[in-house]
Amino acid sequence: MKNYHSLVLSAIALLAFVGCSNNDTVQDENAQKSEDLTGLTEFAVKETATPTATRTMGIYSGSGIDFYWTAGDKLWINNTAVTPALIQSSKDNITGKSATAKFYFTGTYTAPSYQVRYTGNGNTVGDKVTIKSVQNQAAPNDGSHIGTDGDCGTAIATQNGARYDFTLSHKASYLTFTPYYSHGFAPEVKVTQIKVTADQSIAGTYDFDDAGIKTSSVVSSSKSIILTLNGGGDNGFEIPSAEDYTKNAAIMVLAPGTYTNFTVEYTLYDQITKIRGTVSKRYGTLNFNEGKNKKVAANLDVINRGDKLYMWDAQQDYWYGYESEQPLINENAGTHYPKSKTTDPMRWYNDVNAPYNSSVTATGNASKCPNANEMAWYVLEGDPHWEGDRLFSFAKHLWIGGMWFKKKAIIKSANNLSDEDMKNKCKNIDYRSYRPSDKNWALKNETIAIGAPTNMNHYFFLPAIGYFYNGKFYSGSKIPGNQNGRYGDYWTASASNIDNDNRNAFNLAFRENVAGIYISIRDKGAMTVPFE
């Protein structure tokens, strides 16, 4: 591959940079190679730093990238005394991977020094470098691919007796990604691809001379680079709950330069739910210097509104104490779901009576939810938007789909409301005391926009998460089955008096073409969360 020295990092906003890494030593596995070197001149990598205990190939060490030279690496001499001036090494002592390397050139060289170039593993020309727009990394924290994807460098080889010594200076730029998800993903959730884009060309074929890459000379250019991980597809690298470069560091090569609208897009895939989606982060204008590495430690922006479902106003969640039986992915549930207040008092719903004209409200878990009036304002004045491809996590797995509603502050401002106004009535009706004519009553909004709202700062997102009933997962129909992403069900803080008893409460439910306030039986397990 390249010179083994570390790529030194410097700090910039939003990207974590780190300092020089170790110049470690390894046993020279090529030392026993014996060849006839008659008529050849040796150019050898020069050790310049204090060695430490170990070295590994193309690995991000937490403070830089270390490199091995690998089989297929070649060196070029720019010998201006002959034509053609660029001469490729004819032999080397590389049999596998090595921290140092020796290259041999046919003939006798006598000048005090020569310019040398490295133009990438397998490159057959000494004056061009191709930074690939599609790169692949086979294993976590293994940058062995970068030699074929555009790594390059220059050096001055100086005479040292019968040989020449050099220390390569890298001329490409590098990104090391260490994505994580602080809420935690199941091990089956992988990052399969990382894509970067900018307004300017960041990849292509460039002229290359003794000074390095000529960025203005690019042909076959690309404004994006895709780095596939472990072959992409359904595979990829794991996503830890905190930054851990040993588990998923991914290294990309790109051209030096200043780039605007620089965006990083992560593709995620859940091998259980079969959901695939992307998460993006825009960094604005960034400068990438030759020979330098920038670390991007991103906490992935995947929405999580909790992993537990509750009967209305219950003290504990539906599968509390029996979490392993929760049917997160399919309908094969255990038998220990709550069956009565007597046998499961902590998981059973609040059975407070809700007689006509009362305003009975939650006192347990559901007390943090909007009440029926607040929920009605969200439905009627919240400008609901359905976004079917927005990623969210539930119970550590990936799903897509949900609905955007205007934030409370935006609704209040537009309708000249106070907090108490929203709580006490919606359009002159107090739904906490409302007695519908039948149990199929609903307050619906069927004017649903499709796609994310333009001004997302004015909205919040509710994932489409279904409910449990009799131990099975439902998605808004009488047919059991986990179809998260198609239907969402959220409790309000308000009990309902539809049957003048203690079995019902108001809830918000939505799907692609409708959002509404409904009356539901309290013994189903639904989302119980504050909205903002």
Side-chain angles (χ1 to χ4, degrees):
M1 195 180 269
K2 284 71 50 189
N3 184 285
Y4 59 91
H5 76 284
S6 301
L7 301 178
V8 183
L9 312 178
S10 58
I12 66 168
L14 299 177
L15 294 177
F17 291 65
V18 288
C20 294
S21 64
N22 296 329
N23 287 311
D24 307 340
T25 58
V26 294
Q27 181 178 355
D28 186 354
E29 60 187 72
N30 303 303
Q32 303 304 315
K33 184 178 180 180
S34 178
E35 292 189 60
D36 182 5
L37 303 179
T38 303
L40 300 177
T41 300
E42 176 185 318
F43 284 67
V45 173
K46 182 181 180 181
E47 289 279 6
T48 60
T50 302
T52 54
T54 60
R55 167 170 298 286
T56 50
M57 178 186 60
I59 287 181
Y60 176 71
S61 65
S63 60
I65 301 174
D66 296 328
F67 299 99
Y68 269 125
W69 293 89
T70 57
D73 283 334
K74 301 292 182 182
L75 204 65
W76 296 82
I77 290 178
N78 186 9
N79 186 1
T80 57
V82 299
T83 302
L86 292 174
I87 304 169
Q88 190 180 54
S89 56
S90 58
K91 287 180 180 285
D92 58 68
N93 74 333
I94 306 170
T95 57
K97 51 188 178 183
S98 178
T100 62
K102 297 177 181 179
F103 298 90
Y104 301 95
F105 292 81
T106 302
T108 301
Y109 293 81
T110 59
S113 65
Y114 291 94
Q115 294 281 350
V116 298
R117 305 177 187 176
Y118 172 74
T119 59
N121 189 287
N123 195 351
T124 59
V125 295
D127 60 353
K128 303 283 184 184
V129 166
T130 298
I131 295 177
K132 293 182 180 178
S133 60
V134 178
Q135 304 175 18
N136 179 65
Q137 183 171 322
N141 202 22
D142 180 354
S144 57
H145 64 94
I146 67 176
T148 57
D149 286 336
D151 192 23
C152 54
T154 65
I156 298 176
T158 57
Q159 196 170 33
N160 182 9
R163 75 169 192 263
Y164 289 82
D165 295 336
F166 70 93
T167 300
L168 200 70
S169 175
H170 290 263
K171 296 300 180 181
S173 294
Y174 312 87
L175 274 169
T176 298
F177 303 94
T178 56
Y180 64 99
Y181 185 57
S182 57
H183 296 288
F185 277 133
E188 296 87 0
V189 180
K190 308 291 186 181
V191 53
T192 63
Q193 175 181 290
I194 302 172
K195 180 181 180 180
V196 301
T197 58
D199 289 340
Q200 300 79 20
S201 298
I202 57 177
T205 298
Y206 300 83
D207 290 342
F208 190 79
D209 62 16
D210 295 333
I213 298 173
K214 301 302 177 187
T215 56
S216 61
S217 67
V218 63
V219 296
S220 302
S221 65
S222 175
K223 295 180 180 180
S224 66
I225 297 175
I226 292 173
L227 175 62
T228 60
L229 307 175
N230 192 19
D234 297 347
N235 296 309
F237 297 168
E238 69 174 285
I239 305 171
S241 58
E243 182 189 351
D244 188 343
Y245 65 85
T246 65
K247 293 183 177 179
N248 68 358
I251 302 170
M252 178 185 289
V253 188
L254 71 163
T258 299
Y259 304 111
T260 56
N261 288 325
F262 195 87
T263 301
V264 180
E265 179 185 277
Y266 303 88
T267 298
L268 312 182
Y269 181 72
D270 191 318
Q271 296 171 336
I272 301 298
T273 65
K274 311 302 181 185
I275 296 296
R276 192 186 310 276
T278 61
V279 179
S280 297
K281 173 72 174 181
R282 182 168 292 177
Y283 291 94
T285 299
L286 294 179
N287 183 57
F288 292 86
N289 297 316
E290 64 180 28
K292 304 296 182 181
N293 178 58
K294 299 184 191 298
K295 185 184 72 170
V296 185
N299 187 4
L300 298 174
D301 186 19
V302 177
I303 294 168
N304 184 303
R305 283 191 165 268
D307 294 343
K308 304 299 183 182
L309 305 182
Y310 293 78
M311 288 189 179
W312 185 75
D313 207 32
Q315 299 301 308
Q316 297 291 352
D317 72 272
Y318 196 91
W319 290 99
Y320 177 74
Y322 302 95
E323 288 82 3
S324 63
E325 297 184 18
Q326 182 171 335
L328 303 176
I329 309 305
N330 53 50
E331 61 184 86
N332 296 321
T335 60
H336 293 94
Y337 57 88
K339 299 178 178 66
S340 72
K341 182 178 181 179
T342 301
T343 58
D344 300 288
M346 298 302 291
R347 295 187 289 162
W348 200 249
Y349 62 82
N350 182 347
D351 61 358
V352 60
N353 204 15
Y356 180 55
N357 278 339
S358 76
S359 298
V360 175
T361 189
T363 57
N365 259 302
S367 62
K368 60 191 173 186
C369 303
N371 70 19
N373 293 320
E374 293 171 302
M375 203 74 90
W377 280 109
Y378 285 121
V379 168
L380 299 179
E381 297 294 330
D383 187 28
H385 281 62
W386 173 265
E387 188 180 4
D389 57 0
R390 173 71 56 170
L391 278 180
F392 69 88
S393 72
F394 176 73
K396 299 187 182 302
H397 284 279
L398 279 183
W399 302 93
I400 53 173
M403 191 161 283
W404 294 89
F405 294 90
K406 282 184 178 178
K407 293 179 179 178
K408 186 175 184 178
I410 304 301
I411 296 173
K412 284 168 54 181
S413 177
N415 294 275
N416 194 26
L417 301 170
S418 67
D419 284 341
E420 288 304 306
D421 291 335
M422 286 193 71
K423 286 179 178 293
N424 292 334
K425 288 185 179 182
C426 178
K427 297 183 181 293
N428 297 317
I429 298 177
D430 185 352
Y431 287 100
R432 297 171 299 175
S433 302
Y434 187 73
R435 186 170 191 175
S437 58
D438 64 75
K439 63 181 180 179
N440 294 318
W441 171 89
L443 179 68
K444 298 180 182 179
N445 183 347
E446 296 179 298
T447 304
I448 308 298
I450 301 300
T454 302
N455 189 354
M456 292 174 62
N457 290 332
H458 287 181
Y459 294 75
F460 66 95
F461 182 81
L462 290 182
I465 298 173
Y467 62 90
F468 292 125
Y469 186 65
N470 285 338
K472 295 182 179 180
F473 218 126
Y474 286 75
S475 58
S477 70
K478 295 182 179 180
I479 302 175
N482 186 342
Q483 298 184 53
N484 280 343
R486 301 183 185 182
Y487 169 86
D489 201 307
Y490 289 73
W491 282 123
T492 74
S494 301
S496 167
N497 54 29
I498 179 65
D499 292 325
N500 198 28
D501 62 16
N502 61 358
R503 296 189 302 169
N504 298 286
F506 289 98
N507 71 307
L508 165 70
F510 57 83
R511 60 175 72 249
E512 182 177 6
N513 57 357
V514 63
I517 307 300
Y518 300 84
I519 295 172
S520 283
I521 50 176
R522 298 183 195 178
D523 61 340
K524 73 177 183 182
M527 289 297 291
T528 305
V529 295
F531 276 12
E532 301 177 58

